[in-house]
Amino acid sequence: MAKTPITAPPRWLKLVNRLVIGLQKLGLPLGTMRLLTVRGRKSGQPRTTPVSPLTVDGKRYVIGGFANGDWVANARANGDAVLARGRHRENIRLVELPPDERGPIMRAFPREVPHGVPMFVKAGIVENPTPDEFEKGAAKVVVFRIEAR
């Protein structure tokens, strides 16, 4: 039986994100995680969230598992962002992919970001952690291509 997709992040995620942000700022890298900072669409203030970019065919991408998440809405409103790991900062542009181009990127996710797979399963985006399931779940997420700015 398929789960109904969760449209908003779980409440505990905000606390975990704060912890990850603090560790990253101290220079303690955590797997594939980076800090993505995008200006708030309403406040104009920088907003930071942990993300796990992945590379497919030489291009980098980041996936928004919760299409209604704040960072996704901010990135849609203003694609200019900063991607950081420790002290290394990179100015980037986020370009949203149309739904028909998301499949191959999602298919690569379980291999490229294995620690992120459980979140997609728990959220009901995929039923099981296979590349085929992730490709089927592409319509339920937002995928941004990362470009140099």
Side-chain angles (χ1 to χ4, degrees):
M1 182 174 180
K3 292 181 186 176
T4 302
I6 299 169
T7 58
R11 290 182 184 180
W12 55 262
L13 188 59
K14 192 172 267 191
L15 178 62
V16 171
N17 282 350
R18 284 187 200 152
L19 177 65
V20 170
I21 289 168
L23 292 172
Q24 286 275 350
K25 287 183 177 181
L26 288 173
L28 300 171
L30 300 169
T32 62
M33 290 196 173
R34 306 288 188 273
L35 296 182
L36 178 70
T37 303
V38 182
R39 294 232 172 257
R41 64 195 177 282
K42 295 176 186 173
S43 71
Q45 297 300 311
R47 303 290 182 211
T48 301
T49 192
V51 296
S52 289
L54 64 150
T55 302
V56 178
D57 296 330
K59 294 180 182 173
R60 294 183 304 158
Y61 301 90
V62 66
I63 297 172
F66 298 102
N68 297 327
D70 284 338
W71 81 261
V72 170
N74 291 338
R76 283 175 164 158
N78 177 14
D80 292 338
V82 174
L83 194 60
R85 181 173 186 146
R87 292 184 178 157
H88 177 75
R89 301 174 68 75
E90 177 185 5
N91 292 321
I92 62 167
R93 177 110 184 116
L94 297 172
V95 178
E96 187 173 351
L97 297 184
D100 62 331
E101 293 179 22
R102 297 175 187 165
I105 311 312
M106 283 294 287
R107 184 173 189 76
F109 189 85
R111 182 186 69 250
E112 295 285 321
V113 189
H115 63 272
V117 170
M119 179 66 83
F120 283 80
V121 175
K122 287 178 186 173
I125 294 167
V126 298
E127 288 186 34
N128 58 60
T130 65
D132 289 341
E133 276 294 309
F134 269 78
E135 189 169 10
K136 283 191 232 173
K140 300 175 187 175
V141 300
V142 178
V143 177
F144 292 97
R145 185 177 56 250
I146 298 171
E147 296 181 350
R149 187 165 49 119

